[in-house]
Amino acid sequence: MLQQMRKMSKSWVSSIFLGLLALSFGMWGIADIFTGNTDTAVASVGKVKISVEQFRTEYQNRIRNESNQRGTTITNEQAHAMGLGQDTLQSLISRAALDQIVQRHGLTLSDEAVASQIRGVAAFNGPLGTFDRQTFQRIIADSGFTEQTFIAAIRSDGAREQLLSAVRNGFKMPAGYVRALFSYLNEARAVHYVVMPASAAGSVSDPDDKTLAAYEKAHANIFSTPEYRQLTYASVSPADVRDQVKVTDEQIKQEYEVRRSQYRIPEKRDIEQITFKDEASAKAAKAKIDAGTSFETIATERKLKPDDIKLGTLVQADLGEDRGKAAFALNEGGVSAPIKSSFGYVLLHVTKITPEKITTLEEATPALKKEIADQLAAAKIVDVTNAYEDAASGGANLAEAAQKAGMHVHKIPAVDAQGMTPDGKKADVPDNAEFMKQVFAADIGMEGDPFQVKDGTSFVLKVDGVTPPKLKPLDSVRVKVAAMWQAEQRKKQLEDLAKKLSTEAEKSGSLESAAKTLGVKVQQSDGMLRNTQSANFSPELMEKIFAVKPASAIYGNTADGENFVIALVTGVAHPNIQIDSPELQSGIDQLSQQMAGDFAVLLATASRNKLGVTINQKNVETVIGENS
């Protein structure tokens, strides 16, 4: 697929071309015209339309692939935040643009080449380690393809790759250019430096009330009371309705029967297999095994590696009728008689047996009872909230409707976003972030609709009033305000001194005078690269060190931001790499591949711009569910 056309190498050349790639992708949207007509396509590229179903399949597969890579299920909200919908759409548009170039030049993939590609996909292999049609059909169906649409997609991808290969192949970056980049990225610098002690700031006078009041006002977000909200809310939780539901033995038994397959884990066996071209060879090998030769030795004699003979952990159905019956009749360590297969004759070796495990109704009852009770409680809560809505639609206010429906009603005089009252105590509100988010998002004076949080509790709330944030009296925060002001002034005085001393050091070409003024010693760094991390230099100061000319003096923070450092650049060195060195040649290859990949991206951009692109955003939103 186009989005997989190239991957940036984790090497010394990577950072140089990230910006170029981002720019190229950004250019893809230049010719897009957003429309909202009645078309059933999500987009058109020239005369080619991209259907809603095609987009939905690609989008769902993209989410599935991202989830597998991250090891967690990506929700729709997360997919929206990651921009997967728009990325998928732009990829489809660019593929459609490239496909029209492919068609114009008559590029295609033969049936033999398509079949070879499909058979070469390891995921489509069955228990025998070869292409398995049932496995193939199951996997492509899970990805939203029929056999015909999948073959068409492979053929299209193959033809497109022919075009892109022609664009990419043969490009070579000039060696001198790559050498210059290498020299830049691997430049080393050394500095003399002094760390300024906090005492160098000198004394800071006590601020007067006018200064403190102005500082407090300028930092009102720190020195104000929080916003408080007065509210009325009603609630009903699973615990509130638990005694209203009863789980019968018959319900448990019925649920057990529905899930019976889950409670029976069939016997599994770890099985190895060696294939022979004829029955005579298989019988000869079995005779040697019966005489004491190990199964592994037979495999070694046939130049097979351990992984070559492992079929994995299988249930009987995985092996088919003949092999399954034979394998599951063996004891652990046993080897079967020769069995005829599609590829000759095989010997099976059972290396481990995992017995069948059955969970009885009695064993499953506690968990089933809880699950059924939870389901019944959830249904009861729905009944309660429906009753609330009926009462509210009949004219009852929140408290009246909640009481009629059987919900608990609470009135809270004041609560902040952390669930605290003005006197610093915990308010009588649920310790639930979802609930508090609703409280501080609700409109004032409006009775909201019922909403449910993750633990199953349903709420209805009304914000009766709001007390906005208010600047605290200066006397109540005087000590904190004064301490923050003085710390800020000390830092400013330190920075002013650092600026003055760095200017003097650059003029004299030495830090000795600065060191004497500060009462510290001049220190010397080792050779540092651009990505060197040091406790003495913040990332911002490291950038300065590599941005100035030799013999320049600069200042900045230590890595922890607590002190200032004055640094004098005393040495600059560039690696002397030979044109024919393996490292430089590797860099040339990497850069050439990456630049060639950019050419392919720009080809798609040019085709998009020439053909014209229209997007039906309304249809896009029906798939991804967002306003983009």
Side-chain angles (χ1 to χ4, degrees), residues 42-112:
V42 293
S44 298
V45 186
K47 296 181 179 180
V48 174
K49 295 183 181 296
I50 300 171
S51 70
V52 169
E53 283 307 313
Q54 182 184 3
F55 177 49
R56 179 179 288 110
T57 296
E58 288 282 339
Y59 180 51
Q60 290 173 348
N61 286 340
R62 179 75 182 275
I63 292 176
R64 185 183 298 111
N65 291 338
E66 290 286 341
S67 297
N68 291 338
Q69 290 177 17
R70 295 167 182 260
T72 183
T73 300
I74 294 176
T75 64
N76 286 333
E77 291 77 11
Q78 291 171 324
H80 295 166
M82 295 164 64
L84 296 187
Q86 292 302 327
D87 283 352
T88 302
L89 178 62
Q90 294 302 320
S91 176
L92 282 170
I93 290 171
S94 292
R95 281 159 49 187
L98 289 171
D99 285 344
Q100 293 179 68
I101 301 177
V102 167
Q103 292 167 8
R104 189 162 64 248
H105 290 282
L107 301 177
T108 188
L109 215 62
S110 68
D111 291 343
E112 293 78 8

Side-chain angles (χ1 to χ4, degrees), residues 411-452:
K411 288 187 175 293
I412 309 299
V415 61
D416 67 13
Q418 280 66 51
M420 306 301 290
T421 63
D423 59 3
K425 295 181 180 178
K426 182 74 175 68
D428 182 22
V429 293
D431 187 14
N432 186 286
E434 296 173 85
F435 175 82
M436 295 307 300
K437 182 179 179 180
Q438 291 281 350
V439 169
F440 279 81
D443 295 326
I444 302 169
M446 300 293 293
E447 293 184 1
D449 295 325
F451 64 92
Q452 192 173 67

Side-chain angles (χ1 to χ4, degrees), residues 585-596:
Q585 291 302 315
S586 175
I588 292 173
D589 291 341
Q590 291 176 37
L591 285 176
S592 298
Q593 291 172 13
Q594 291 163 6
M595 284 294 290

Side-chain angles (χ1 to χ4, degrees), residues 16 32 37 75 110 133 182 186 213 296 364 375 487 503 513 568:
I16 295 298
D32 295 349
N37 55 34
T75 64
S110 68
R133 188 174 185 81
F182 182 89
N186 291 278
E296 291 74 17
Q375 293 169 5
T503 301
S513 177
L568 180 69

